[in-house]
Amino acid sequence: MSGAAPLGLYSISVRGLDVPELLAWAAGAGIPFIHLRGGPRGYDLGAREEATLARWHAVSRSTVPITGVTADTDLVDLISGDPAVRCPAQEDVRRLSDAARILGARWVRLLARRPLTAATADGDALGGLGTGVPLLVELHDPGWFTAQAHRALLRLLDEAQPRLRLLADSAQLAHALTSDERNEQVGERLEQLWPWADVLHLSDAGPGLAGPGHTVVADAAVRRIAGGQRIEAAVEWTGADRTPAAALAVYRRHSAWWTARHSAIAEAAS
């Protein structure tokens, strides 16, 4: 992948491997790093003993690093005004963040399935969370790009720095860009969010990355990377066949596509 930013793999892309097997497989396949699905629907890292996590970290040091982990917790629950909702969500994130630090990971991803309102965008709610690693918000709904939700998100990002950043998912953002008649406004609002993005997932549920929205999202990230912004990119494969062989074939195809996007941006700039 000469000339292109390194491309990792999100563990959701592969089924049937425990963490040491996944790391050894990735190392053998030439995948430089792993994003680990860390919630109860993944490897449930918050419920693991420290000795197990330390052993996995030792494996990662001799294979490939785990650079980030993903939570099943939703941002809205984490900052809810209802303590019965907020307190369990915050405890889940604390446990997962502790596990992430033991594994050597640098961030924890939050789900963001429900757009914020001005009333729920309270950066102070994250102030005492004490995770020690940034929390990355992954926007799961085109409603995040309505004017009200967008303003609330920008306010939250501004108030919660450096604790809160963004994970950009190419499929979700492509959907937002192409599903709204006001997609020009969506594009402008997405451009305002890019400075907060730390991670990009090239997300493929089966159709590939051929849609124009994927290219718009990837090219924006490539331009940011070329300008010096650190954005860590990984493949997220959620198709029907997630055997190691199928996942590796998808990874290699998207690695070539990622390299081609870098080349196209470099050529256009020259």
Side-chain angles (χ1 to χ4, degrees), residues 14-185:
V14 189
R15 289 176 172 150
L17 301 179
D18 63 22
V19 171
E21 290 172 334
L22 173 68
L23 298 174
W25 170 79
I31 297 168
F33 57 86
I34 288 291
H35 296 166
L36 203 61
R37 191 175 195 185
R41 290 183 292 172
Y43 290 100
D44 202 6
L45 300 178
R48 302 286 183 173
E49 294 183 355
E50 286 191 17
T52 299
L53 298 169
R55 186 172 68 252
W56 289 351
H57 186 212
V59 174
S60 77
R61 289 198 301 268
S62 63
T63 53
V64 300
I66 299 166
T67 58
V69 301
T70 63
D72 295 335
T73 308
D74 199 284
L75 172 65
V76 171
D77 293 337
L78 199 65
I79 61 176
S80 171
D82 183 352
V85 174
R86 183 182 69 253
C87 292
Q90 291 194 342
E91 182 57 29
D92 286 345
V93 171
R94 285 191 191 97
R95 286 198 302 268
L96 190 57
S97 298
D98 289 342
R101 288 199 301 270
I102 295 171
L103 290 169
R106 298 190 294 265
W107 49 265
V108 168
R109 187 258 3 226
L110 301 174
L111 297 173
R113 292 166 292 198
R114 291 166 286 168
L116 294 172
T117 65
T120 58
D122 183 4
D124 291 339
L126 299 175
L129 193 53
T131 59
V133 295
L135 303 176
L136 272 55
V137 178
E138 183 177 355
L139 308 179
H140 280 69
D141 190 294
W144 282 100
F145 293 94
T146 62
Q148 181 186 40
H150 180 67
R151 283 195 302 268
L153 178 59
L154 287 175
R155 175 188 161 201
L156 181 63
L157 287 167
D158 186 58
E159 292 178 350
Q161 287 309 301
R163 300 179 301 273
L164 200 66
R165 305 287 292 173
L166 293 176
L167 183 150
D169 179 285
S170 69
Q172 290 158 1
L173 297 180
H175 177 58
L177 286 165
T178 58
S179 65
D180 195 312
E181 292 180 358
R182 298 159 302 181
N183 55 16
E184 183 175 338
Q185 291 181 347

